[in-house]
Each structure stands twice: as structure tokens, then as C-alpha cells.
Amino acid sequence: MPAGLKQASSVVSIGFNATEAAPNTFTQSQVDLNLSPLDREVFVVLAVNLDPFSPDAVAGVNTAVKSSLTTTSQTAVAQLSNSNCLATAISEIKAAGFVDSGVGFATLGNETPPATLEYIGIIATNDFFIQLEGQGNLGARAVNGKMYGYRAIASADIYAALVQSEVLSA
């Protein structure tokens, strides 16, 4: 258990989905955690699983579906180097220069870390965000996922520091 936090629930899983408004268009979905700021409630993230749809197989065209989960709103799909990014997943088909449908690749941001970590992130504000963007696809794509964690009550100083850090790094 992280210092300054007291677990307030058992482990829960939160399912989510984001679907592009149109093919190859950046889309972001907001998921409300219903945390109580008056009780200094935070969400301790244990693991995240992102499952982007497969990209279209188009002869001679590289296609992809890129997705991320962050603690703050973003203007593009985030990378793990972003301090607010908890997970990424990319599904690609490399077909440029080929007359067939190419070769598929999947890239994951190690959503489930080694068991030696106590947690992978703490969400102190009320929402988290899922970003999605396809590239070279003929139809709109989506991403499904689950986030695993538990609610916790933070001491006043820890809560203030977590909220300030999350908001100022947006």
C-alpha cells in the first residue's frame, strides 16, 4: 500500500470503449470514476488492458490503430513517455510496397507490469481518458479495455500533492 493511502474498496475492474467518429480521426472518451473529492478519494491503478480493433488489410497501404489511456485529457494518442499515460497499445499492418495485404504487428506498452510493483498509477481527479486514432483504414475503428484497481482515501497532504501534480502536468 502506498504511504499516505488507506484502501477503501476491494479490487474492481472498470470496462471502457472508445470508437472513432469517422475513419482515421483522433477520438477521445472520458470515463467518470465517481470519486469523492470531499473524502479525498483516489483510484489506485493496478493494471490496464487495452485491446484495439484490428486495422484494415489494404494492399500496398500501411494501416494502424493506436490507443492510449491517460489520467488527463490529450490532443493526440499519448506515448508512455507522457507522465499522465498509464498504457498504450498499437495494432499495425505494414503493407507499403507489397501487392498483398502485408504483415501484422502488435505493440503493447507493458500494460500489466511485473508483480513486484504495488501499482502503476494513482488517479486523483474524477476522470480518466481513452485516446484512439486509426491510420489508413477504410472504416472507423475502436478500442475496448479494462482497468483494474481500488479506491483509497488519501491523507490531506498526499491528496493535495496528487491532485496538484496531475492537474499541473496536463
Side-chain angles (χ1 to χ4, degrees):
M1 171 68 66
L5 298 180
K6 179 182 175 191
Q7 189 167 340
S9 75
S10 59
V11 174
V12 296
S13 65
I14 300 168
F16 52 84
N17 171 278
T19 303
E20 288 180 311
N24 310 311
T25 304
F26 172 75
T27 302
Q28 177 172 261
S29 290
Q30 181 175 347
V31 180
D32 187 359
L33 288 170
N34 293 313
L35 299 174
S36 173
L38 294 176
D39 294 328
R40 301 179 319 274
E41 193 172 39
V42 298
F43 191 82
V44 179
V45 181
L46 302 174
V48 176
N49 183 17
L50 292 175
D51 185 20
F53 283 27
S54 297
D56 288 333
V58 180
V61 177
N62 289 339
T63 58
V65 179
K66 299 179 179 187
S67 58
S68 60
L69 184 144
T70 60
T71 59
T72 58
S73 181
Q74 304 292 313
T75 57
V77 174
Q79 302 297 316
L80 288 176
S81 59
N82 179 328
S83 63
N84 293 314
C85 183
L86 298 179
T88 64
I90 301 170
S91 183
E92 302 177 280
I93 296 178
K94 299 290 188 182
F98 297 101
V99 294
D100 63 6
S101 296
V103 178
F105 294 92
T107 306
L108 304 175
N110 197 24
E111 297 93 327
T112 304
T116 56
L117 292 179
E118 286 185 73
Y119 62 96
I120 62 170
I122 298 174
I123 300 174
T125 56
N126 213 28
D127 307 309
F128 68 93
F129 300 85
I130 299 88
Q131 297 81 28
L132 167 72
E133 184 173 14
Q135 294 177 337
N137 295 301
L138 302 175
R141 292 289 170 245
V143 62
N144 294 314
K146 280 200 187 269
M147 182 169 68
Y148 303 88
Y150 57 86
R151 294 174 182 273
I153 305 299
S155 62
D157 58 334
I158 297 294
Y159 183 75
L162 288 170
V163 170
Q164 182 177 13
S165 174
E166 192 172 307
V167 171
L168 291 179
S169 66

